[in-house]
Amino acid sequence: MDFARKAKWTFFVVTTLFSLVQPLSTNHTSINDTAIEMIHVGLILDAQSWVGKIVDSCISMAISDFYSQNCHYQTKLVVHTRDSGGDPLLLLSQALVLLENFKLDAIIVAENSAGVKILAELGSRVKIPIISLFAAGLSLSSFEYPHLIQIGEDESSRAKAIAAIVEAFSWRSVILIYEDNDSARPILSSMTGFRLDRHVALLTSSTDEEIVEQLMKLMSLQMTVYVVHMSPILASRLFLNAKQLGMLTQGYAWITTDMITNFMNSMDPSVFESMQGVVGFKPHIPASKELRRFAIRWRSKNLNENKNLEEMEMNVYGIWSYDMVWAVATAAERVMTRHPHILHQETRLNMNFTTIRSSESGLVFMDEILQSRFKGISGGFQLTNGRLIPKEIEIVNVFKGDRIIGYWNPENGIASIMKEENHTETNSTSSSKLEGVIWPGGTMNIPKGWSLRGKRLRIGVPVTNQFRELISVVHDPQTNDIIVTGFCVDVFKEAVQSLDYEVHYDFIPFEDANGRMAGSYDDLILQVYHKNYDAVVGDITIISRRFAFVDFTLPFTDLGIGVVVPKIDNDIWVFLKPLCGDLWITVGAFFIFTGVVIWFIERPINEEFQGSPSEQIGMIFWYSFSTLVFSHKKPLSNLSKFVVIIWVFVVLIITSSYTATLASMLTVKQIQLSSRDNDAWVSSDISNFTFETRRRRANHSPEEYADALRRGSKNGGASSIIDEIPNLKVFLAKYPSDYTMIKSKAITGGFGFVFPKRSPLVQDISSAIMRLREEKRLEMMENKWFNSESSFTTLDPESNPNRLNIHSFGGLFLVTGISSISALGVCLFQKRQSIKIHLNSSLDSLKGYFNVKIIGRQKERS
C-alpha cells in the first residue's frame, strides 16, 4: 500500500475523532486591533513533555519581543496551540481541527514523531508551510515535500560525526542501540565510515525486563562501544538498567546523539548520574549577549509563571523556535507589503467528511520564509533546502555536568575548542584535538573498544607430535597435566605477554579418547568457527579458503614452500666442466704464447730470464701461470709491461667467469634434482595447490623424510621433499650435513594463529608479532628451536648454466693476441735496427783498419 492510500485511510480515521477533540483556546496574541492583518499559525505540541513546555514558552516570548520592537508592522501572528499528547493520530487530528476552524497560514509542530510525515503530506495538499522543530527521522526531500521546513541535523551528519569519533579513538567497530520507530530507525542505513558490528532495536513500550535482556546479550559480546539513538524517555531507562548491570564502568564507551544530549540537563538526577562518562553530540549555539539575556529572562519569567519549568534548562529547541517565530513574523510582513491582496483570499477543500480552509498565500509565504536571513539568538539564521542545519556540532563529555571537549563540522571534521573561531585547519580525526575525556568509571584511559571481561580463552592445539620443535603436546602421567611446548607456543606466549592488557588462556589438545588428533587441520579450524575453541595455536597454514570461517593473524614464519634434496657428492673432475675443451686448449696455448713473448722481450735485458735452456723454459711457464694469482714479477721492458697488463686483464675475466659458472653448476645440480616431480613427496597440508605427478603423504615427520630421501625414488622413497618452510627448517636442523633446502615461491601464507571472525585479538596479536620480528626476538626463537640458519638460493630450477667456450672470449683472445704480436713485432724491429747499427759500425771500423794498413804499406814502399 503506497503512502497516498495510507494517508487517505489516516484522514478517514482521524476525522471521526473531531467530536472528541477539545481545542485549547490558547492564543498568544490579542486580536482586538482590527487595523492589523492577523496571520493565523497553528502550534501542535505535547503539552506534558519537556520540549512542549519549553517551546510553548519560547514562542510566547518570541511574539512578545518581536512586536515590541516592530510595533509599526501591519501584520501580527496569532498562534493557536493544540495538545497532541504525543500521539501521531491525535497530531493529525488536531491539525485538521485547526484547518477547519481557522484560515491558517502555517503550522508549527514541536514533536518528533511519525505524524510529521503525514502532516508534511497534508501541507502539500493545503499548500501552507509545515514547520517541524525536529528533523524528521525519515529523509524528507524538499522536492517531494516543498511545504516542509525542518530544523536540526539530518541522519547523514549524525553518522559522519559518529564516524569521526570512532576513527579518532581507533575503535574497530561499534554497536548501535536505537529506538524502533520512524524517527530513530533511519539512522541504521546512514551508519557508514566504520564497521557496525551489531544493532539492537528497542520499542518505546519495551519493559525494563526486555531492556535488561538485550543488554545482557550485548554483555556476552566482546564489543564495548555503544552508540545510542532514541528518545530521552527510553534512553533514561536504558542507562539506568545499563548502570545496574555494570556496563558504565571502566572499559566501556557510550556515545549519544543529539536526540538524547539536547535534553540531558532536563533529565532526572538519577539518570544523569548513570550517564557519567558518556560522550555526546549536540548542536553548537554560539555564545552572545542576546542569548544570555534571553536565557535570563526566560528563566525569570517561567519561575514566576510556571513552576513545572523550575528544574528545566533552556535547550536548542526553545532557541530555534524563538528564531523561527521571528522568521515567520518577518515573512508575514513582507507578504503583506508585497502581496497584500493574497492574504485575504481563501480556498475551501473537501477532505472526506470535513471541509478545511486554506490560504492562497501559502506558496508566497513559504518562499518568504525560505529567503529569511538575519542574526538571531541561535546565530546566523538561514534555511538550506528547507532545513535549518547547525553549522557546527559540539562534542560533550558528561561528568558532573556536560563539558565541551571539541567540535565537529562537515568541512573540517574534529576541531579543538581552542580554535572555535577558526576551523580552517586540515581535517583531522585525531583524538589529540579533543580535550581529555573522562570515560565511564572515572578513568581517562581510552577504552580499547572490546574486552574479554576476565574470560579464559580455550586455545586448541593440534596433537601431531611429528614436528615437535613446532608444536608438542605431552601428558604428564603423574600430575595429569598437559604440557604444550614448541616454537609456535613460544611465539604466542611472547605476543600475548607484550600486550598492554592481560589475556588468560588454557591450551586444549584437539584429541580423541586414544590421545590421537581428532581430525584434520581443517576440522580443528572449524572448532573455532563452531565456538568450541576461542583460538588455535600451532603449525596452521594460512590458506585463502579458510578465511570463510575464521580470521588469521599475520604469519610468524617464512612464507611459501621449500624443496629439500640430498647433497650431491662432487665429481673429482668437476672443476674442468665450466670450460669447454677448446677453451681449455686455447687458454693453455695463450699462457705459453704470452710467456714466450715476455721471455723473448726480457731475455736480453733481464737476468731473471737468462741462464741455461732448461732454466729459461721454466721461467717461461712460471711467469705466465703466475699471472693467475697475480704473483708475477715486474718486467723491465715497457713492451713487456704492455703485454702483461693486457694479459692480466684477460686472466681476470676468465677466472671470474670460471668461478661463477662452477658455483652455478654445483647449485643447479641440486635444483634439477629437486624438480623431478614424479619422485617428490608433498605434504598433504599444502592442499590448495595441485601436484598431479607428485606423491602426497598425509603423515610426515623428519625421520620419515630422512628415510625416504636415503632410500631414493627407485627404492620406494623420494628424491626430494616439498613442504612448508618451517617444517623443512626443523628437518634441516636435525640433518644439516646430508640435505639442503631451496626456497621456492611464496605460494602459501606461512603459519598464523587462528581466531574467530572479527575477533579484536587478531589485530593486537598481529601487531605484537610484527614487534617481535622487528626486535629480532622472533629470529632468536627460531635459532633456539631450529638450531640452524638455513641459506636459500633463488635460482630458477629449470635454468642450466652453459659451459664456457672459445666463442665466449674470442674478443679477449683477439685483443691479447694482437697486443702480444704487436709487442713482439716492435721488439724484433728494434733488434733489427740495433743489429743494423752494430753492423754498420763494424764495417766502418773494418774499413778504417784496412785504410790504415794500406796507408802503412804505401809508406813502406816509399
Side-chain angles (χ1 to χ4, degrees):
M1 183 181 294
D2 58 15
F3 179 78
R5 294 181 62 188
K6 288 182 179 179
K8 289 180 180 179
W9 278 104
T10 304
F11 295 156
F12 176 79
V13 173
V14 170
T15 52
T16 62
L17 301 175
F18 282 172
S19 61
L20 302 177
V21 176
Q22 298 296 327
L24 273 66
S25 57
T26 303
N27 293 347
H28 291 298
T29 307
S30 168
I31 57 174
N32 294 329
D33 191 351
T34 57
I36 297 177
E37 182 69 28
M38 299 302 170
I39 306 299
H40 296 274
V41 177
L43 173 62
I44 307 176
L45 47 77
D46 183 358
Q48 301 303 316
S49 67
W50 300 327
V51 176
K53 294 175 182 179
I54 294 174
V55 168
D56 187 45
S57 62
C58 289
I59 288 179
S60 176
M61 291 182 64
I63 293 175
S64 175
D65 293 346
F66 182 83
Y67 289 110
S68 65
Q69 295 183 24
N70 302 283
C71 55
H72 61 284
Y73 273 19
Q74 304 175 45
T75 57
K76 182 172 284 189
L77 296 185
V78 179
V79 178
H80 305 278
T81 305
R82 296 292 184 271
D83 182 11
S84 68
D87 188 345
L89 286 178
L90 197 54
L91 170 70
L92 180 59
S93 175
Q94 292 287 18
L96 293 173
V97 169
L98 287 170
L99 288 169
E100 183 183 23
N101 296 329
F102 303 99
K103 181 178 71 68
L104 295 182
D105 292 285
I107 297 177
I108 300 176
V109 185
E111 284 193 32
N112 190 11
S113 67
V116 174
K117 183 174 182 180
I118 301 176
L119 213 58
E121 180 70 22
L122 178 61
S124 298
R125 293 194 179 192
V126 299
K127 293 182 172 52
I128 63 171
I130 304 296
I131 302 170
S132 174
L133 298 180
F134 291 83
L138 296 174
S139 180
L140 304 180
S141 169
S142 60
F143 297 101
E144 186 177 2
Y145 301 99
H147 293 81
L148 176 65
I149 296 175
Q150 300 179 82
I151 300 178
E153 296 177 72
D154 56 6
E155 301 301 342
S156 175
S157 297
R158 285 192 181 106
K160 290 178 181 177
I162 294 170
I165 286 292
V166 172
E167 183 179 356
F169 292 108
S170 301
W171 292 322
R172 303 183 186 100
S173 60
V174 302
I175 294 175
L176 172 66
I177 308 175
Y178 65 98
E179 188 170 358
D180 193 9
N181 58 26
D182 290 341
S183 300
R185 192 184 305 114
I187 195 175
L188 185 60
S189 60
S190 302
M191 299 289 273
T192 58
F194 57 93
R195 191 172 76 185
L196 186 62
D197 191 73
R198 185 165 298 193
H199 56 88
V200 177
L202 296 177
L203 296 173
T204 308
S205 59
S206 295
T207 64
D208 286 346
E209 290 75 16
E210 291 171 339
I211 293 175
V212 169
E213 182 183 356
Q214 292 294 337
L215 292 175
M216 291 290 289
K217 291 179 181 178
L218 296 181
M219 288 185 68
S220 65
L221 305 176
Q222 294 180 344
M223 299 297 106
T224 59
V225 180
Y226 306 106
V227 175
V228 184
H229 182 62
M230 58 182 58
S231 65
I233 296 176
L234 184 57
S236 300
R237 298 166 54 205
L238 173 71
F239 280 103
L240 286 172
N241 285 289
K243 183 174 178 61
Q244 291 180 359
L245 293 174
M247 297 180 69
L248 280 133
T249 55
Q250 185 172 351
Y252 286 90
W254 292 81
I255 303 172
T256 59
T257 64
D258 61 308
M259 204 173 184
I260 300 171
T261 316
N262 286 340
F263 301 98
M264 202 168 292
N265 292 330
S266 301
M267 289 182 174
D268 187 90
S270 62
V271 177
F272 191 81
E273 178 64 26
S274 70
M275 297 179 66
Q276 299 300 294
V278 169
V279 173
F281 299 97
K282 66 179 183 180
H284 173 58
I285 305 297
S288 64
K289 294 179 179 179
E290 293 78 7
L291 177 60
R292 185 167 57 254
R293 291 169 185 167
F294 171 75
I296 294 173
R297 289 192 301 113
W298 178 84
R299 174 163 286 279
S300 176
K301 175 178 181 295
N302 289 287
L303 284 175
N304 296 327
E305 298 179 3
N306 193 342
K307 294 183 179 181
N308 291 330
L309 293 177
E310 288 181 1
E311 301 299 328
M312 293 188 181
E313 296 287 341
M314 171 61 63
N315 63 19
V316 293
Y317 297 107
I319 296 171
W320 281 336
S321 62
Y322 184 93
D323 282 350
M324 182 55 71
V325 168
W326 277 62
V328 173
T330 304
E333 184 65 20
R334 287 201 299 266
V335 172
M336 181 64 183
T337 304
R338 300 173 183 176
H339 312 280
H341 61 284
I342 297 180
L343 290 175
H344 302 286
Q345 298 179 5
E346 179 181 320
T347 302
R348 291 184 177 271
L349 299 175
N350 292 321
M351 301 187 68
N352 296 324
F353 300 106
T354 186
T355 301
I356 62 176
R357 301 164 66 183
S358 173
S359 174
E360 290 289 334
S361 61
L363 291 174
V364 178
F365 197 21
M366 182 71 181
D367 290 339
E368 292 294 343
I369 295 174
L370 293 176
Q371 295 174 16
S372 298
R373 305 284 190 277
F374 63 91
K375 184 178 181 182
I377 61 173
S378 64
F381 184 94
Q382 179 179 348
L383 297 173
T384 304
N385 296 325
R387 185 188 288 267
L388 178 62
I389 301 177
K391 296 181 176 60
E392 198 159 39
I393 304 299
E394 293 179 2
I395 306 173
V396 299
N397 181 213
V398 182
F399 192 79
K400 298 179 180 179
D402 57 337
R403 61 188 184 92
I404 301 174
I405 59 174
Y407 298 94
W408 178 87
N409 61 70
E411 291 77 23
N412 301 310
I414 292 178
S416 170
I417 61 174
M418 303 303 295
K419 300 184 174 88
E420 178 179 342
E421 301 300 330
N422 182 14
H423 299 300
T424 58
E425 287 192 345
T426 304
N427 184 16
S428 174
T429 57
S430 172
S431 59
S432 61
K433 291 204 167 189
L434 297 173
E435 295 294 303
V437 180
I438 301 177
W439 300 98
T443 179
M444 296 190 70
N445 296 327
I446 299 175
K448 298 189 302 292
W450 64 277
S451 174
L452 295 175
R453 299 186 178 91
K455 175 183 178 181
R456 294 190 70 86
L457 300 181
R458 291 172 52 84
I459 309 294
V461 291
V463 187
T464 60
N465 290 333
Q466 293 167 349
F467 288 88
R468 294 178 178 271
E469 289 79 1
L470 292 173
I471 186 76
S472 174
V473 178
V474 177
H475 292 267
D476 190 334
Q478 297 180 351
T479 62
N480 202 28
D481 291 337
I482 299 174
I483 302 173
V484 183
T485 58
F487 171 70
C488 300
V489 175
D490 279 6
V491 173
F492 180 77
K493 289 181 177 179
E494 287 289 332
V496 170
Q497 189 174 357
S498 68
L499 300 178
D500 56 0
Y501 53 89
E502 290 188 358
V503 177
H504 304 284
Y505 55 87
D506 295 314
F507 290 119
I508 311 297
F510 182 57
E511 60 184 0
D512 56 20
N514 298 322
R516 299 176 181 175
M517 189 158 171
S520 65
Y521 277 77
D522 285 340
D523 295 330
L524 174 57
I525 291 172
L526 286 176
Q527 298 303 308
V528 176
Y529 176 74
H530 294 305
K531 299 183 179 180
N532 295 325
Y533 292 145
D534 298 306
V536 170
V537 171
D539 51 342
I540 310 298
T541 305
I542 301 175
I543 301 175
S544 59
R545 60 181 173 81
R546 292 174 174 171
F547 279 97
F549 306 97
V550 295
D551 280 343
F552 287 89
T553 62
L554 288 177
F556 55 89
T557 63
D558 294 323
L559 307 184
I561 59 174
V563 180
V564 165
V565 295
K567 290 184 177 179
I568 303 174
D569 294 332
N570 292 329
D571 185 1
I572 61 174
W573 303 106
V574 68
F575 68 92
L576 295 176
K577 293 183 179 179
L579 305 184
C580 293
D582 57 349
L583 184 56
W584 277 116
I585 295 173
T586 303
V587 170
F590 267 86
F591 269 107
I592 297 173
F593 174 69
T594 303
V596 170
V597 172
I598 299 299
W599 169 79
F600 186 82
I601 297 174
E602 291 290 319
R603 187 181 63 82
I605 59 176
N606 194 335
E607 294 181 356
E608 295 285 342
F609 291 85
Q610 297 176 2
S612 64
S614 61
E615 291 177 346
Q616 294 185 40
I617 293 173
M619 176 59 67
I620 291 174
F621 285 97
W622 176 86
Y623 191 88
S624 61
F625 283 98
S626 66
T627 57
L628 281 171
V629 292
F630 308 105
S631 61
H632 53 281
K633 293 184 179 181
K634 182 179 180 181
L636 300 180
S637 172
N638 288 334
L639 290 175
S640 300
K641 292 176 181 179
F642 171 72
V643 173
V644 169
I645 289 172
I646 300 299
W647 176 244
V648 167
F649 174 73
V650 173
V651 169
L652 177 64
I653 298 298
I654 293 175
T655 54
S656 299
S657 301
Y658 172 85
T659 304
T661 304
L662 179 61
S664 299
M665 283 184 170
L666 294 176
T667 303
V668 169
K669 283 183 178 180
Q670 300 184 40
I671 300 177
Q672 290 173 337
L673 178 59
S674 69
S675 63
R676 297 177 183 177
D677 293 350
N678 292 328
D679 301 328
W681 272 15
V682 181
S683 170
S684 60
D685 295 337
I686 313 173
S687 56
N688 59 327
F689 302 99
T690 303
F691 299 92
E692 297 88 349
T693 59
R694 295 171 178 169
R695 302 176 187 175
R696 181 171 299 171
R697 297 296 183 191
N699 299 319
H700 52 271
S701 66
E703 293 74 18
E704 289 177 337
Y705 282 170
D707 179 66
L709 291 174
R710 276 194 295 266
R711 286 187 286 116
S713 58
K714 295 181 179 179
N715 298 316
S719 59
S720 62
I721 302 294
I722 300 176
D723 201 348
E724 295 277 352
I725 289 179
N727 292 338
L728 297 183
K729 280 187 173 182
V730 173
F731 173 74
L732 291 178
K734 291 187 174 183
Y735 307 97
S737 60
D738 299 324
Y739 307 99
T740 187
M741 177 169 64
I742 300 163
K743 186 176 181 181
S744 185
K745 294 181 180 179
I747 56 176
T748 61
F751 292 165
F753 301 127
V754 180
F755 287 94
K757 298 290 289 184
R758 298 185 178 180
S759 171
L761 276 171
V762 172
Q763 182 173 340
D764 290 348
I765 296 295
S766 295
S767 300
I769 291 173
M770 286 304 300
R771 287 194 298 270
L772 294 176
R773 193 180 298 277
E774 292 167 359
E775 295 169 2
K776 305 294 185 181
R777 293 161 64 187
L778 197 60
E779 181 179 352
M780 293 171 60
M781 283 184 278
E782 283 190 7
N783 294 334
K784 168 189 172 183
W785 286 100
F786 303 154
N787 193 27
S788 174
E789 296 183 1
S790 301
S791 60
F792 303 96
T793 60
T794 57
L795 294 176
D796 184 358
E798 296 182 358
S799 63
N800 185 15
N802 294 324
R803 299 176 66 187
L804 301 175
N805 53 43
I806 191 171
H807 298 288
S808 304
F809 302 98
L812 286 176
F813 289 126
L814 183 63
V815 170
T816 188
I818 293 175
S819 301
S820 297
I821 292 173
S822 299
L824 184 61
V826 172
C827 180
L828 290 174
F829 177 76
Q830 290 177 346
K831 286 187 176 183
R832 180 182 176 185
Q833 291 295 111
S834 177
I835 293 173
K836 184 177 180 181
I837 292 173
H838 180 71
L839 289 175
N840 290 335
S841 177
S842 299
L843 290 174
D844 291 339
S845 299
L846 185 60
K847 183 185 288 186
Y849 174 78
F850 283 114
N851 288 335
V852 171
K853 288 291 186 178
I854 293 173
I855 294 173
R857 289 178 180 180
Q858 289 177 352
K859 287 181 179 182
E860 290 178 358
R861 290 177 182 175
S862 59

